[in-house]
Amino acid sequence: MPETLTYTHAHADLTFTWDGGSQIKLCAGASAPYVGFYPHSIFAPQTARQVFTQASLEDMCDAWWQGRVIPADRDFNQDPWHTTEFAYDLQIRYRGGPVIEAAPADPTHRYQPLPQNSTLWHPIIDLAVSGQTSATVTTAWLDHRVRGWMTGVLEVLGVHALQPVPDPALYGEGVDDAIVHWTIRNLPDQIKADSTMGAWHTWITNTIRELWNTPAGPTPWRNAGITQQPVSEHRPWTYQDTLADGTRLNFLWFGGTHVFVTSPDVPARRGARDNTIFLLHPREQATGPILPWIQEQIRQWIATCDATKTLADTPGTALHYGPWRIELTGPGLCHDARFATEQEAYAAARQARDQATSTDGCVTFRSIFSTNDSAARVTTISVQRRSPEHEDLWCAHSRPWSIYTQAPDAFTPYART
């Protein structure tokens, strides 16, 4: 049996343990919420090229915590990487060397890998363009790079909107919705004969095969997309700081709707999930590239911190307990979004109304209790204000808007005495 290795990261208040298996287990200290905060484990590579030691464990765990690329986890010459995309229509592989290759699947055996020597295999991504080599490539990087490549392919095809200045934290967002909307607009006759997704898969399958049959093959798609990896649970963004009195702070973003703050020195204040919310919805609030914007919010907040008062309230706290909200309802649907001011609430309500009427009831909004910031079949939207007498009671502030009775005075505040 391999020796069990353990590494404790004091500032992060995390203990990593590897017992010889394929996973490194994480155990969070008292400063982290006890439910759904950190993943239970991260991948632990062990190959003939790498002897897994205490030093390599620490390097790997530090790389994960800091959002760096985790050291190479496999010899792809001996153990090639393979995946399928576009619903098994396109097979992708990496066998070591300078390129990632792809080939259309066999239409009669879509779920079976193509022969290694098939002439259909063509390069689609050059490692050098992404600053990678065969010695630094990891399975996580391959997975993210291929997903970014697919987003770039959809942009080339005009299916997904091209970002003027691509932001890794946003790149690829809305792809599924973009595919549905593009298919409805461009393939109406095929949708009637089949279905929306059936029409899309038929079209993309034919497009792939037609391209591969041209003399240039997939050259128009080569190196599509951006090379930066997005922030995710497996590659978090973290920032550490220490106050003048020595209080240690950790800021974390896993790419979702919450930016968190924890402190191993103030576990009582930061031990519950609600109390660890530093910022809500950075994507919607950011006024520029997301990661620099988050760090600027942190810098401004730290300037107000006073550890003797158990730290300052966070920007997320103000929104979490915001006195205004819009409520979106429909058949089997009830969601709400919170706001700090009346102006923000009414602006969001009108935007949601416009989305509901132009996209068949599909609305995006800033929830605070769910990671799903969209709702389908929204038929009614109302603006509400928290009751000053009862914290859990919400009162209607204006006449609601309804898709069935679109009154001209909807969203006009009620007269109050």
Side-chain angles (χ1 to χ4, degrees):
M1 287 290 292
E3 179 186 1
T4 298
L5 302 178
T6 300
Y7 169 51
T8 299
H9 192 304
H11 197 136
D13 199 14
L14 283 173
T15 298
F16 302 85
T17 304
W18 179 72
D19 59 6
S22 62
Q23 302 289 323
I24 298 172
K25 296 180 181 179
L26 276 71
C27 181
S31 64
Y34 61 93
V35 176
F37 192 73
Y38 293 108
H40 295 297
S41 60
I42 59 176
F43 184 67
Q46 186 182 28
T47 70
R49 292 189 302 172
Q50 176 184 353
V51 178
F52 210 54
T53 63
Q54 180 69 31
S56 60
L57 172 71
E58 295 181 12
D59 184 33
M60 186 168 304
C61 295
D62 285 342
W64 174 83
W65 170 255
Q66 297 166 9
R68 294 187 285 111
V69 174
I70 293 178
D73 55 359
R74 147 179 179 184
D75 185 346
F76 295 100
N77 293 288
Q78 301 296 324
D79 184 14
W81 178 82
H82 186 275
T83 189
T84 56
E85 300 295 351
F86 292 127
Y88 295 96
D89 288 327
L90 189 67
Q91 298 193 17
I92 301 175
R93 72 182 184 184
Y94 178 64
R95 301 183 298 166
V99 296
I100 302 170
E101 301 169 295
D106 184 335
T108 59
H109 301 90
R110 295 174 63 231
Y111 305 112
Q112 296 183 8
L114 284 174
Q116 294 290 325
N117 59 355
S118 172
T119 58
L120 292 174
W121 291 107
H122 286 283
I124 57 169
I125 297 171
D126 298 284
L127 267 58
V129 172
S130 303
Q132 298 288 329
T133 68
S134 58
T136 61
V137 168
T138 67
T139 52
W141 182 86
L142 288 167
D143 182 62
H144 288 301
R145 181 64 188 98
V146 167
R147 268 189 266 169
W149 176 82
M150 290 176 61
T151 299
V153 166
L154 293 175
E155 292 173 343
V156 171
L157 295 172
V159 177
H160 186 63
L162 177 67
Q163 288 185 336
V165 181
D167 185 341
L170 294 172
Y171 198 68
E173 280 197 349
V175 163
D176 292 339
D177 290 340
I179 288 174
V180 171
H181 296 155
W182 183 92
T183 305
I184 291 172
R185 290 194 307 269
N186 292 275
L187 305 173
D189 294 336
Q190 197 168 333
I191 289 174
K192 292 178 183 178
D194 195 349
S195 65
T196 301
M197 295 315 296
W200 160 254
H201 287 307
T202 298
W203 180 84
I204 192 64
T205 299
N206 293 336
T207 300
I208 290 171
R209 297 191 182 285
E210 289 172 2
L211 184 66
W212 253 256
N213 287 330
T214 63
T219 300
W221 293 358
R222 193 156 180 173
N223 297 314
I226 65 175
T227 62
Q228 297 97 320
Q229 292 188 48
V231 176
S232 68
E233 181 180 84
H234 301 290
R235 193 171 183 268
W237 178 86
T238 61
Y239 175 74
Q240 298 179 172
D241 210 326
T242 303
L243 300 184
D245 66 351
T247 300
R248 294 167 293 179
L249 299 174
N250 300 308
F251 299 86
L252 307 94
W253 186 45
F254 298 102
T257 57
H258 297 61
V259 178
F260 297 99
V261 57
T262 66
S263 172
D265 303 312
V266 196
R269 173 66 173 88
R270 302 298 168 195
R273 186 180 178 88
D274 286 352
N275 288 339
T276 63
I277 297 173
F278 172 72
L279 190 68
L280 286 162
H281 300 276
R283 287 181 172 86
E284 292 85 346
Q285 296 192 63
T287 55
I290 293 177
L291 298 183
W293 181 84
I294 292 176
Q295 192 159 346
E296 176 61 19
Q297 306 309 302
I298 292 172
R299 188 194 66 77
Q300 295 178 11
W301 180 78
I302 286 179
T304 69
C305 282
D306 184 349
T308 62
K309 298 179 180 177
T310 326
L311 305 182
D313 287 336
T314 68
T317 305
L319 184 56
H320 190 282
Y321 297 103
W324 295 88
R325 78 176 186 181
I326 61 172
E327 186 177 68
L328 306 92
T329 57
L333 171 75
C334 185
H335 287 304
D336 69 77
R338 304 288 177 85
F339 299 90
T341 68
E342 177 181 355
Q343 291 75 14
E344 291 177 327
Y346 275 93
R350 295 187 178 97
Q351 181 179 358
R353 172 200 61 195
D354 296 341
Q355 286 185 320
T357 53
S358 62
T359 59
D360 299 325
C362 296
V363 175
T364 57
F365 63 97
R366 295 192 311 184
S367 69
I368 62 173
F369 302 111
S370 170
T371 57
N372 179 19
D373 297 332
S374 63
R377 299 178 299 170
V378 173
T379 58
T380 304
I381 302 168
S382 62
V383 178
Q384 301 174 353
R385 185 175 187 178
R386 191 189 299 273
S387 169
E389 289 83 17
H390 303 283
E391 183 177 337
D392 296 329
L393 180 63
W394 292 88
C395 305
H397 192 259
S398 68
R399 182 169 181 176
W401 170 87
S402 172
I403 198 170
Y404 302 116
T405 56
Q406 299 185 29
D409 60 345
F411 296 144
T412 299
Y414 289 127
R416 303 285 182 180
T417 57

